[in-house]
Amino acid sequence: MNATKCLFIGIIFVLKLSDVIGQASSGLKYQKQPTKEPSVVSTKIWYGGGLNLGFSGQSGLNVLQLGASPMVGYKILPRWSVGPRVSFLASRYSGRSFINKITPVNWGVGAFTRVKVISAIFAHAEYEIANQAFVSFDGVKLYADRLQQNNVYVGGGYSSGQGNTKFEIVALYNLQTPESNLYVISPFTFRFGFTVNF
């Protein structure tokens, strides 16, 4: 069998196959697929959090920061949610005049509750156990002192966006701000992030 015959038989085969497929598909009636109802749990769970990325340089000290703060909420009622939240922030401190570089990690774990006042405004309360590093230097070497604290936050936020994914801004006041003779610790915290299905 030469190449011309093989090519001719291949073309006939492809044409016949396409004809058979066309007849089979024209005989089929399109059926609307039943929509799968979302489970009760999936409609009650929402996700959110924030990402931190920053760089600053002042007085010969450079700081690079990278962090994340995921959270998961469960809607007890359509406007009332509860859930866990964790946060991590790694900061890289360096400078030409310092003999060392340090990378302390701040972390926190807690539980929160939220109530939607209206669709875009919500009240937020949270209990958190946090471990935070405070960096100091003597002109030659960098040092990191750590402080573990229990925080009780109250405040609220604003949520905006289209569809299920929304951007949010949260302002909180810490009722348990620790006193420190060495460091200035503000009772106010501002967070920026996003939520899905909140």
Side-chain angles (χ1 to χ4, degrees), residues 128-160:
E128 176 192 48
I129 299 171
N131 190 291
Q132 187 173 359
F134 293 91
V135 174
S136 60
F137 55 89
D138 59 10
V140 177
K141 192 170 182 181
L142 295 163
Y143 303 93
D145 298 317
R146 302 201 70 83
L147 177 64
Q148 184 157 320
Q149 58 197 52
N150 297 329
N151 299 316
V152 178
Y153 295 110
V154 293
Y158 173 77
S159 180
S160 173

Side-chain angles (χ1 to χ4, degrees), residues 55-133:
F55 177 80
S56 64
Q58 184 178 355
S59 302
L61 179 64
N62 300 319
V63 184
L64 175 64
Q65 292 185 317
L66 180 64
S69 53
M71 60 194 302
V72 178
Y74 180 80
K75 296 176 186 174
I76 294 175
L77 296 173
R79 291 184 173 268
W80 178 31
S81 303
V82 297
R85 180 183 181 274
V86 296
S87 64
F88 301 93
L89 178 65
S91 303
R92 177 72 165 173
Y93 292 83
S94 63
R96 288 186 201 170
S97 57
F98 302 108
I99 61 172
N100 66 328
K101 299 175 183 178
I102 58 173
T103 309
V105 176
N106 296 347
W107 60 265
V109 60
F112 69 89
T113 183
R114 278 190 179 180
V115 176
K116 282 188 182 179
V117 179
I118 57 174
S119 62
I121 305 290
F122 57 88
H124 182 105
E126 180 180 329
Y127 173 76
E128 176 192 48
I129 299 171
N131 190 291
Q132 187 173 359

